[in-house]
């Protein structure tokens, strides 16, 4: 269990090829830099739990760190992107 990436075990086992993040947009944005630091080069992050009107904010925050959105999915009023 961890509050974001604060658990030392997460850092010891990093980097990760895949990180799944199912949080509201505000938290996904807050964790962007930490997520980047824990993701292996060429790794994939799946960001979900995002309301559609907040998706551009999330995409912008991650693009500023060099992430590229590959796919965006919408279902039942929620957005997920890879």
């Amino acid at each position: 269990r961890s509050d974001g990436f604060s658990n030392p075990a997460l850092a010891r086992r990093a980097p990760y090829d895949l990180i799944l993040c199912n949080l509201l947009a505000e938290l996904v944005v807050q964790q962007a830099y930490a997520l980047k630091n824990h993701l292996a080069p060429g790794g994939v992050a799946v960001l979900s739990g995002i309301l559609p009107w907040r998706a551009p904010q999330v995409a912008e925050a991650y693009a500023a760190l060099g992430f590229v959105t590959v796919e965006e999915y919408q279902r039942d009023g929620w957005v997920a992107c890879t």
Side-chain angles (χ1 to χ4, degrees), residues 11-77:
R12 281 194 304 272
R13 295 184 179 124
Y16 297 95
D17 295 324
L18 174 65
I19 296 178
L20 305 173
C21 190
N22 185 29
L23 301 167
L24 294 175
E26 298 83 7
L27 297 173
V28 171
V29 169
Q30 287 175 3
Q31 295 295 318
Y33 188 75
L35 187 147
K36 178 181 170 82
N37 288 333
H38 286 81
L39 190 64
V44 174
V46 179
L47 310 175
S48 63
I50 302 164
L51 294 168
W53 61 274
R54 299 298 298 266
Q57 175 193 11
V58 172
E60 183 179 307
Y62 279 78
L65 295 174
F67 285 88
V68 175
T69 301
V70 176
E71 283 288 333
E72 185 177 294
Y73 308 91
Q74 289 197 27
R75 184 172 181 185
D76 298 329

